[in-house]
Amino acid sequence: LETLTEIVKQIACEKGASLVGIADISQLVGPVCSDPTYLLPETKSVVVFAININHEIIRNYLSKKSFASKDAMSRHEGEIYHSLWQIGMEISKYLEKYGYKAINAWPNKDYREHKSGSDKSNPFGFTPEFSHRYAAVAAGLGSFGWSSNVVTKEYGATVYFSSVLTSASLRPDSPLTINPCDNCKLCAYACQSEFIQKDADLISFTLGNSVFSHGKTQHVGRCSLCCGGWVNQYQHQEWSTFSSICVDFTFPADSDEFRTKFREMVVKDLKGSDSRAKRNILHHIKLGNRGMHETELDEYEVVCGYCQLICFKDREDRVLNLKMLRSSGVVTEDGDYEYIIRDGSIVDKRKWRV
Ligand code: B12
Ligand code: SF4
Ligand code: SF4
């Protein structure tokens, strides 16, 4: 058990993981997608690992240095997702060689509604087959931050996670006793869509033997529309996301109304003239339900993610990150071109990426 645990952790680190931990099945009793037996009924342990995001790439992106800094961020995200998948493959192969069952869970876009076909038409059906956040928290890699991102001691929230579920009994790690999130709430100030709010109630839930909490988030459609590139400004006008589109969309509180309004917007934009919004929809249709690890590196397009990216481990760095974002200017479009405008001047200009 000791040796197998050490070898599995070593494989993860050698293949590029920045953090790795083991969650015991007994710690994964809680919200529905914390349950690994949905994917592998024989699960005894979950190996969960993280790769950190490069801080220089983040800061160039937050400050909208140029369109090249957006492309660098997008490609970097793609490379991390591809690496996470490869690390999972190596660990699974090793465990299988010794007779254990192992499932390399998709790092992202493993939505049950789409993969099982239970509610394919729901644009906001985001129940993961398995949640890497709960696994990471159960294995002590981090804890839930106000933003509901998992915040680690080493890198704040600037990590992506993935997991391998296995029938092997590995030596488990313990959940953290101190939460690295200090409740600065700068994540809420960095969120255009108000998916994360600074004055929200806390939502608490039990995972294994511990109770965790984070800020209550609003309808997931808010983040999807902003992070998906449709809405580049909502609550802050002095800066925008890295998308050049801002469709006219006021977020309804009611879930059914949200879906209806979203469908109406898609239909209207698809029928309309060749607009940037239409291209955005076609881009998402092309991505389809492929996992992030199956997405080509040049198909990635990061436009927000700010709640995660500003959350470095030290508060002074977070304050500086938010400052950079707030003074980064606005991205806008005109004809076939998009522009970064800062302090009234054009900082960069390029043809839309199709
Ligand atoms: C679905 C999803 C989304 C959705 C929903 C996010 C959310 N907060 O759940 C959307 C599209 C909005 C989204 C956005 C983003 N995501 Co995302 N996403 C996922 C995905 C697929 C699952 C998220 C998850 O674990 N949800 C489960 C929990 C947290 O939510 P829940 O099911 O709603 O459960 C809550 C409540 O419903 C309630 N509850 C549940 N059951 C029950 C039952 C009862 C009885 C009661 C009372 C309550 C209750 O308690 C739960 C805890 O709050 C994961 C990949 C994966 N497979 O893990 C990535 C993941 C979470 N995303 C990630 C990231 C980075 C982002 C973004 C920054 C965008 C980006 N650049 O990628 C934003 C951040 C938004 C945010 N602050 O959360 C990372 C997070 C990294 C980190 N450090 O935490 C992940 C882990 C991807 C990865 N491989 O690294 N994401
Ligand atoms: S930005 Fe501050 S409040 Fe938000 S998750 Fe990070 S540490 Fe917590
Ligand atoms: S990714 Fe952007 S829109 Fe989504 S919650 Fe984070 S800051 Fe808000």
Side-chain angles (χ1 to χ4, degrees):
L1 179 119
E2 281 296 312
T3 324
L4 189 59
T5 306
E6 289 320 313
I7 294 176
V8 161
K9 286 186 169 180
Q10 198 182 334
I11 295 174
C13 295
E14 277 172 6
K15 296 290 164 194
S18 328
L19 302 171
V20 54
I22 310 289
D24 189 66
I25 181 90
S26 62
Q27 286 297 325
L28 289 169
V29 179
V32 63
C33 45
S34 64
D35 176 12
T37 66
Y38 175 85
L39 279 179
L40 181 68
E42 300 89 341
T43 305
K44 295 224 172 62
S45 318
V46 173
V47 187
V48 48
F49 38 94
I51 297 183
N52 64 298
I53 311 172
N54 179 293
H55 282 188
E56 194 184 339
I57 296 180
I58 294 179
R59 284 194 158 160
N60 288 340
Y61 169 81
L62 290 176
S63 52
K64 295 195 185 70
K65 211 170 162 193
S66 64
F67 282 113
S69 47
K70 171 184 171 180
D71 294 345
M73 186 71 237
S74 304
R75 195 173 177 88
H76 185 49
E77 184 190 64
E79 284 165 351
I80 292 178
Y81 272 113
H82 284 237
S83 300
L84 285 169
W85 180 250
Q86 284 312 320
I87 295 169
M89 290 310 287
E90 294 292 330
I91 295 174
S92 317
K93 264 195 292 179
Y94 186 84
L95 290 165
E96 282 168 351
K97 196 165 88 186
Y98 288 93
Y100 298 106
K101 291 199 168 170
I103 297 270
N104 187 15
W106 280 19
N108 207 339
K109 284 180 73 182
D110 55 333
Y111 308 138
R112 295 188 190 190
E113 293 81 351
H114 297 279
K115 285 188 83 180
S116 70
S118 63
D119 191 5
K120 274 192 167 160
S121 65
N122 183 359
F124 305 119
F126 291 140
T127 316
E129 288 183 317
F130 181 64
S131 165
H132 306 299
R133 278 181 174 163
Y134 295 126
V137 169
L141 297 192
S143 200
F144 279 97
W146 175 257
S147 62
S148 85
N149 286 308
V150 169
V151 180
T152 66
K153 280 188 288 195
E154 296 82 356
Y155 307 104
T158 62
V159 286
Y160 293 104
F161 295 106
S162 208
S163 320
V164 170
L165 286 41
T166 178
S167 60
S169 286
L170 302 173
R171 181 174 39 79
D173 294 297
S174 310
L176 296 184
T177 46
I178 297 175
N179 191 336
C181 165
D182 67 3
N183 265 331
C184 68
K185 304 211 180 151
L186 297 176
C187 44
Y189 287 90
C191 180
Q192 279 283 2
S193 72
E194 285 185 303
F195 176 66
I196 306 164
Q197 301 164 282
K198 57 179 191 329
D199 300 319
D201 294 336
L202 271 181
I203 176 160
S204 301
F205 51 94
T206 307
L207 185 65
N209 321 326
S210 319
V211 176
F212 295 94
S213 53
H214 59 72
K216 195 168 187 287
T217 45
Q218 299 211 69
H219 192 283
V220 286
R222 284 181 177 252
C223 176
S224 319
L225 263 92
C226 196
C227 220
W230 280 279
V231 178
N232 77 357
Q233 282 186 319
Y234 188 68
Q235 58 166 338
H236 306 286
Q237 299 306 307
E238 69 280 19
W239 57 273
S240 75
T241 71
F242 230 131
S243 166
S244 56
I245 317 166
C246 205
V247 296
D248 185 16
F249 195 92
T250 15
F251 299 117
D254 177 74
S255 213
D256 290 338
E257 206 188 319
F258 212 118
R259 273 205 221 186
T260 312
K261 271 196 79 177
F262 178 72
R263 286 216 183 88
E264 282 169 6
M265 179 195 82
V266 169
V267 171
K268 182 170 154 261
D269 284 328
L270 278 177
K271 280 190 184 151
S273 59
D274 189 21
S275 67
R276 179 88 173 102
K278 180 174 174 175
R279 290 187 194 203
N280 194 41
I281 290 163
L282 294 174
H283 173 67
H284 283 280
I285 291 175
K286 186 168 161 245
L287 292 177
N289 297 323
R290 281 179 286 155
M292 294 292 252
H293 59 290
E294 297 169 320
T295 302
E296 302 293 335
L297 290 181
D298 62 3
E299 290 178 312
Y300 279 82
E301 186 176 9
V302 181
V303 298
C304 187
Y306 295 138
C307 56
Q308 176 198 30
L309 298 176
I310 68 146
C311 183
F312 285 16
K313 77 176 167 65
D314 295 320
R315 191 188 269 220
E316 313 84 83
D317 278 321
R318 280 177 248 143
V319 170
L320 183 59
N321 288 345
L322 184 64
K323 223 169 149 183
M324 284 177 165
L325 178 63
R326 283 179 159 164
S327 52
S328 67
V330 170
V331 181
T332 183
E333 48 105 7
D334 177 17
D336 282 344
Y337 287 85
E338 55 183 354
Y339 303 83
I340 299 174
I341 314 273
R342 188 160 47 245
D343 300 326
S345 311
I346 296 174
V347 177
D348 200 6
K349 166 188 175 183
R350 74 167 174 192
K351 266 200 133 183
W352 287 344
R353 208 177 91 151
V354 184

